[in-house]
Amino acid sequence: MKGLGPYDVGLRLLESRGRSRGKLAELLQARGFDAIEVQAALDKLARLGYLDDEKHAEAMARGWLNDHRSKADVLQRLEELGLPPGMASRVMAKAIEELGYREIHAASVLLAKKGMQLGPKAARFLAGRGFPEDLCEKVAGVAWDG
């Protein structure tokens, strides 16, 4: 991407996959563009509709929830996108409501997909994926010490 300005590089980076404003800023600055150039490019990309943190975060949250991930895991992943404060929780709550997501169902489906037998190993597996301990015990059918 030699010879291109931050707007063009940003546009190319967005073509390959959606990104948050914060992550795109990091990538552009890592390529040697100064902060003022980067902010101007990000503003232009947002104004033209190519960069929208909320829409990007909503799509990511729906995808992760549909993959039967725990709420804690999805929230952490959303926060790692570099979203504005409070957006991750708001977006996740909206996605949970829209999808009718139930964490106990997600945990059960995840165990079934992995072909795991119920028991302590299954409880540890779910806990390692961010599911709450009481839910792990319930789904895995075992009292577990963590």
Side-chain angles (χ1 to χ4, degrees):
M1 295 187 226
K2 190 174 180 177
L4 298 176
Y7 170 79
D8 295 312
V9 174
L11 192 56
R12 289 200 176 169
L13 288 169
L14 289 171
E15 285 174 355
S16 63
R17 67 179 213 173
R19 300 176 196 277
S20 69
R21 184 180 182 103
K23 286 296 178 186
L24 188 56
E26 286 177 25
L27 291 171
L28 292 172
Q29 288 176 345
R31 283 172 168 74
F33 297 111
D34 70 49
I36 294 173
E37 290 178 306
V38 168
Q39 288 309 311
L42 296 176
D43 289 344
K44 183 176 180 181
L45 289 165
R47 191 173 55 253
L48 294 173
Y50 297 119
L51 185 62
D52 185 325
D53 277 353
E54 193 147 350
K55 285 182 184 176
H56 174 62
E58 287 172 0
M60 298 304 291
R62 284 191 299 272
W64 289 324
L65 291 170
N66 279 328
D67 283 344
H68 312 293
R69 295 186 180 276
S70 68
K71 291 190 279 187
D73 181 48
V74 172
L75 184 58
Q76 179 182 344
R77 287 168 178 264
L78 287 170
E79 289 170 348
E80 289 171 357
L81 293 177
L83 302 172
M87 185 179 284
S89 323
R90 188 174 65 249
V91 163
M92 191 171 90
K94 182 179 176 184
I96 286 170
E97 185 178 329
E98 286 175 357
L99 296 172
Y101 173 88
R102 292 180 38 240
E103 199 163 38
I104 193 165
H105 174 73
S108 298
V109 170
L110 188 57
L111 282 183
K113 282 175 61 175
K114 295 291 182 182
M116 296 192 79
Q117 299 293 321
L118 299 183
K121 184 176 179 182
R124 282 191 300 277
F125 170 80
L126 292 173
R129 302 289 184 288
F131 289 96
E133 188 175 317
D134 61 329
L135 187 139
C136 295
E137 291 177 349
K138 185 174 184 177
V139 172
V142 63
W144 175 61
D145 295 347

